[in-house]
């Protein structure tokens, strides 16, 4: 069985950890958002790729909610003491090793997809982790500050400014010129199941679908596509989807999240709390919808959710 997952952020990492348990014999390819990638202290950081890697490699810090377990931050603390301009971005000492490994390889011309495969191998990950593209794509957020519109890198908006600004618009710089990473389109074309992870539909999955050819490839396999809502009871479980979905013309609800993929879905999974919306989602979008527990408290609940999502496709 071939499974492709479109993934970005912590929700995707949790879900993928359940997916590999739910389908241990399947060949799983995770196509991961790179619109969040940023250069910090001269190092190439791939937050979503790293988050998914640490989750699947059983190295994620579940208590803190980001980064690696048993992490220390002595290097970042020292950089702050120096007044380094990028020290607002918290890179752990173990995490730094990933970026120190990645950056010179990229500078030498090794594609991000190849570097990602090497990093995944170090963590013993069997699933294929693939960036959405080897080309540079950057999510940029236009905000209003003191009555003046300013454009920020996504990480400045989210980490440095804690998503406090009023958002006017967003864009994926460079996406028009990008190409899907090697293997992305063929994996989608050959998938028995395509899963859209419970990730922010605007800035986690949106950049993946904006890479030329990807949305069309997924749409061509619509009968094999299931998505899991990242919105529960009218709010995201984590992140800033509630700040960005209205800018994209989407209401902050399980129905609004489904509308982001209305041309792609055969099935949609919502939380039990949103069971009253099932009929309206099916009526509005013509998408088979069902409710279950989508709160991934641990590996067992993540696995149960993955089983349920695959079951929506008869997989």
């Amino acid at each position: 069985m071939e499974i492709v997952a479109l993934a970005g952020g912590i929700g995707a990492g949790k879900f993928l950890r359940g997916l590999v348990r739910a389908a241990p014999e399947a060949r799983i390819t995770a196509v991961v958002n790179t619109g969040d990638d940023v250069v910090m202290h001269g190092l190439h950081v791939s937050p979503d790729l790293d988050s998914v890697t640490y989750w699947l490699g059983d190295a994620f810090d579940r208590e803190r909610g980001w980064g690696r377990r048993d992490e220390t931050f002595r290097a970042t603390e020292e950089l702050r003491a120096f007044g380094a301009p990028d020290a607002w971005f918290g890179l752990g000492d173990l995490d730094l090793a990933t970026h120190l490994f990645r950056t010179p390889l990229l500078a030498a011309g090794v594609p991000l997809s190849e570097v990602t495969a090497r990093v995944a191998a170090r963590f013993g990950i069997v699933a294929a982790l693939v960036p959405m593209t080897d080309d540079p794509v950057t999510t940029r957020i236009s905000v209003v500050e003191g009555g003046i519109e300013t454009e920020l890198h996504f990480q400045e908006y989210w980490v440095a400014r804690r998503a406090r600004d009023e958002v006017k618009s967003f864009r994926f710089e460079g996406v028009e010129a990008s190409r899907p990473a090697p293997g992305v389109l063929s994996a989608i074309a050959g998938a028995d199941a395509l899963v859209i992870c419970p990730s922010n539909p605007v800035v986690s999955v949106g950049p993946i679908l904006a890479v030329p050819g990807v949305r069309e490839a997924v749409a061509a396999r619509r009968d094999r596509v299931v998505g899991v809502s990242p919105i529960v009871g009218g709010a995201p479980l984590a992140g800033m989807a509630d700040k960005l979905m209205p800018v994209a013309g989407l209401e902050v609800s399980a129905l609004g999240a489904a509308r982001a993929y209305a041309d792609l879905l055969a099935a949609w999974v919502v939380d039990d709390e949103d069971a009253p919306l099932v009929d309206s989602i099916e009526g509005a979008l013509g998408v088979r919808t069902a409710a279950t527990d989508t709160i991934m408290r641990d590996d067992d609940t993540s696995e149960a959710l993955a089983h349920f999502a695959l079951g929506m496709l008869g997989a």
Side-chain angles (χ1 to χ4, degrees), residues 32 49 59 246 289:
V32 184
L49 279 170
T289 304

Side-chain angles (χ1 to χ4, degrees), residues 208-291:
I208 302 173
L209 294 173
V211 174
V214 173
R215 191 175 197 107
E216 294 80 2
V218 175
R221 305 302 315 285
R222 180 176 182 174
D223 63 326
R224 306 310 304 159
V225 180
V226 60
V228 180
S229 177
I231 305 297
V232 175
L237 292 174
M240 78 314 291
D242 55 330
K243 302 288 186 68
L244 298 177
M245 287 176 67
V247 181
L250 303 170
E251 67 178 43
V252 185
S253 68
L255 171 57
R259 287 190 189 279
Y261 314 122
D263 59 324
L264 306 178
L265 294 171
W268 185 240
V269 179
V270 303
D271 189 73
D272 286 328
E273 186 173 343
D274 290 313
L277 294 177
V278 166
D279 289 344
S280 59
I281 294 172
E282 290 187 333
L285 304 180
V287 173
R288 187 167 64 258
T289 304

Side-chain angles (χ1 to χ4, degrees), residues 4-21:
V4 172
L6 305 187
I10 293 171
K14 288 183 180 181
F15 182 83
L16 288 168
R17 190 162 171 83
L19 183 63
V20 298
R21 288 165 52 112

Side-chain angles (χ1 to χ4, degrees), residues 35-67:
D36 296 2
D37 285 20
V38 66
V39 174
M40 289 289 166
H41 313 296
L43 300 176
H44 185 110
V45 182
S46 294
D48 281 2
L49 279 170
D50 295 337
S51 178
V52 167
T53 297
Y54 298 155
W55 270 106
L56 289 180
D58 194 23
F60 194 83
D61 191 315
R62 296 171 186 249
E63 292 186 11
R64 189 174 57 244
W66 56 275

Side-chain angles (χ1 to χ4, degrees), residues 154 157-158 162-163 200 203 236 238-246:
F154 173 79
Y157 164 73
W158 173 230
R162 301 182 183 276
N200 186 317
V203 294
M240 78 314 291
D242 55 330
K243 302 288 186 68
L244 298 177
M245 287 176 67

